[in-house]
Amino acid sequence: MMHWSINTLPSPPYVELGVHSLSGLLWTLLLLFLWHCYRVGSDLPIPGHAHAGKLKSGSRRSMMSRSGICAGTKCSARSKLSRGDQMTPFISMETEEDEEQGQGYLTPVLSHALFPAQASAEAKKLYAALQEYAKRYSWVGMGRIHKGLREQVKLSDHCAIQKPHLFFLPDVPSVPFFPRDAHRHDIEVLEANYPVILDEFKAVYQRGIDSKHGWTCLGPKAQAVFPLYSAGVSVAANCRSCPCTYRTLLSLRTFISSNSLGSAGFWLLGPGATLGSSYGPTNTRLRCHLGLQTPPLCELVVGGEPQCWSEGHCLLVDDSFLHTVSHKGAPDAGPRVILSVDLWHPNVAAAERQALDFMFSPDL
């Protein structure tokens, strides 16, 4: 390529032509402008040959996601992808270096090979479901879910006081017991319908605790549940036995009724029974306990904090914390009875709820 120097440019012929000095100055400025434009144009980087140091990692990934252009050895490997694969918006697994530089975990790339190899089969299944959801809808708002799936292998490192065994959504503030304001509408609906819910419970209880009548016995000492929803699926026969309670559940704004993380039903615990320490499956929900029959000396301890039920009133519990339940009342005190309803955690956004409904769908 020929490079011009300012010394090689011909001088304007204003002397020979007898043109005024002002015209000669304009000639000179015009030639200088043309020379400058030529130099600037010749210095522009050729696409695909930019120095690696001039591009941040986020910019490189952005170019790859928009045009499928890649450099070096990565190009030969990814060029084997079909056109359809190149357009698939996969989510990358950011490295520790990216995290230190403040890079987001929503940067799209063309491969998900960096998903932790030591991840459990359940985590890989959930990640595949998340990818399918994103292909149908969008990655927007999926940052915490994606981060949580990538870090599932670290669940064993969580503090012993809160350790959900199925899925942990990071960056969700939580406490063992939530105030009523967290779900004021749903709590007020449940408490307003307490009398009719209690009557329907008594009707199914008087028929006898038997699997033929819809009950599920969980152990000795009257540990049983009458499910209305089980793992996101309504139990039709039981809902027909308690129509008002069923309609009340449908009127709740945050009831988890579309995925396997959600359940609702009457829970019984007989005198002398104690349910050992355990963790719930996820921190994306709260359990709402409406007290129906609460004898003395019944206690719920969540995250080291004790609470007692009260008839006609609700408790909001994050059961992803270590919790125990006990009924130390007299043998003739009768069972402790609550209506347990799973509600969304108030800090789980609408887009995340929709994605979790898809990922934990009973049909998957």
Side-chain angles (χ1 to χ4, degrees):
M1 178 184 296
M2 180 181 294
H3 293 277
W4 291 358
S5 173
I6 188 62
N7 296 326
T8 63
L9 296 176
S11 299
Y14 63 90
V15 178
E16 293 81 353
L17 297 177
V19 184
H20 294 294
S21 59
L22 180 59
S23 300
L25 179 60
L26 292 177
W27 260 99
T28 303
L29 291 176
L30 177 60
L31 291 174
L32 285 172
F33 176 73
L34 293 175
W35 176 79
H36 172 73
C37 292
Y38 167 77
R39 293 298 301 171
V40 171
S42 63
D43 289 341
L44 289 175
I46 301 174
H49 295 274
H51 295 293
K54 294 182 179 180
L55 289 176
K56 294 182 180 180
S57 59
S59 299
R60 287 198 298 268
R61 287 194 293 265
S62 178
M63 289 174 61
M64 291 161 55
S65 65
R66 294 181 182 179
S67 62
I69 297 176
C70 52
T73 57
K74 293 183 180 179
C75 186
S76 61
R78 291 182 178 173
S79 63
K80 298 179 182 179
L81 294 173
S82 65
R83 182 175 180 83
D85 291 335
Q86 290 177 349
M87 298 303 293
T88 301
F90 288 116
I91 282 287
S92 68
M93 299 296 173
E94 79 271 28
T95 63
E96 294 181 1
E97 179 183 357
D98 288 336
E99 292 179 340
E100 292 174 359
Q101 295 175 354
Q103 301 292 337
Y105 39 77
L106 284 181
T107 308
V109 297
L110 300 179
S111 171
H112 58 284
L114 294 180
F115 192 75
Q118 66 273 32
S120 65
E122 182 65 27
K124 293 178 180 178
K125 178 182 177 182
L126 291 176
Y127 183 68
L130 177 62
Q131 286 186 304
E132 180 63 26
Y133 171 85
K135 288 169 63 177
R136 297 187 185 186
Y137 304 101
S138 172
W139 280 115
V140 175
M142 299 300 103
R144 290 194 300 181
I145 296 179
H146 163 258
K147 182 180 179 182
L149 290 175
R150 191 199 63 181
E151 295 180 350
Q152 285 296 99
V153 294
K154 302 178 182 178
L155 278 180
S156 58
D157 298 333
H158 287 177
C159 61
I161 197 172
Q162 185 184 27
K163 193 185 300 182
H165 58 77
L166 183 58
F167 176 69
F168 181 82
L169 186 65
D171 306 322
V172 175
S174 193
V175 291
F177 293 96
F178 273 69
R180 295 170 56 90
D181 289 343
H183 285 306
R184 175 171 295 276
H185 172 270
D186 289 352
I187 285 178
E188 290 178 350
V189 169
L190 288 169
E191 292 179 351
N193 287 276
Y194 161 72
V196 66
I197 293 174
L198 178 61
D199 289 342
E200 290 187 340
F201 160 73
K202 290 180 178 179
V204 297
Y205 181 70
Q206 290 172 358
R207 294 186 309 191
I209 300 178
D210 193 295
S211 59
K212 294 182 297 183
H213 299 146
W215 288 89
T216 300
C217 296
L218 303 177
K221 298 183 179 180
Q223 299 179 48
V225 59
F226 186 82
L228 301 173
Y229 273 81
S230 179
V233 179
S234 63
V235 183
N238 290 358
C239 290
R240 285 193 293 268
S241 299
C242 304
C244 293
T245 304
Y246 174 66
R247 286 194 295 268
T248 300
L249 292 176
L250 295 182
S251 69
L252 302 180
R253 295 175 180 174
T254 59
F255 174 43
I256 304 177
S257 60
S258 301
N259 69 59
S260 59
L261 300 176
S263 298
F266 300 118
W267 289 74
L268 274 66
L269 186 66
T274 298
L275 303 182
S277 301
S278 60
Y279 301 94
T282 180
N283 66 327
T284 62
R285 75 180 191 187
L286 298 180
R287 287 212 141 162
C288 182
H289 291 177
L290 174 63
L292 299 180
Q293 183 174 310
T294 58
L297 301 180
C298 294
E299 187 178 60
L300 170 65
V301 181
V302 182
E305 299 182 17
Q307 284 282 359
C308 296
W309 296 274
S310 179
E311 295 179 0
H313 298 281
C314 292
L315 277 179
L316 276 180
V317 182
D318 186 342
D319 70 339
S320 65
F321 285 86
L322 186 68
H323 59 276
T324 58
V325 182
S326 62
H327 182 352
K328 299 179 181 179
D332 58 350
R336 179 234 57 182
V337 184
I338 61 170
L339 173 67
S340 177
V341 183
D342 291 333
L343 308 177
W344 284 110
H345 192 291
N347 291 100
V348 178
E352 294 173 320
R353 296 178 186 183
Q354 182 177 341
L356 291 171
D357 277 343
F358 183 89
M359 295 165 55
F360 290 96
S361 171
D363 298 330
L364 292 181

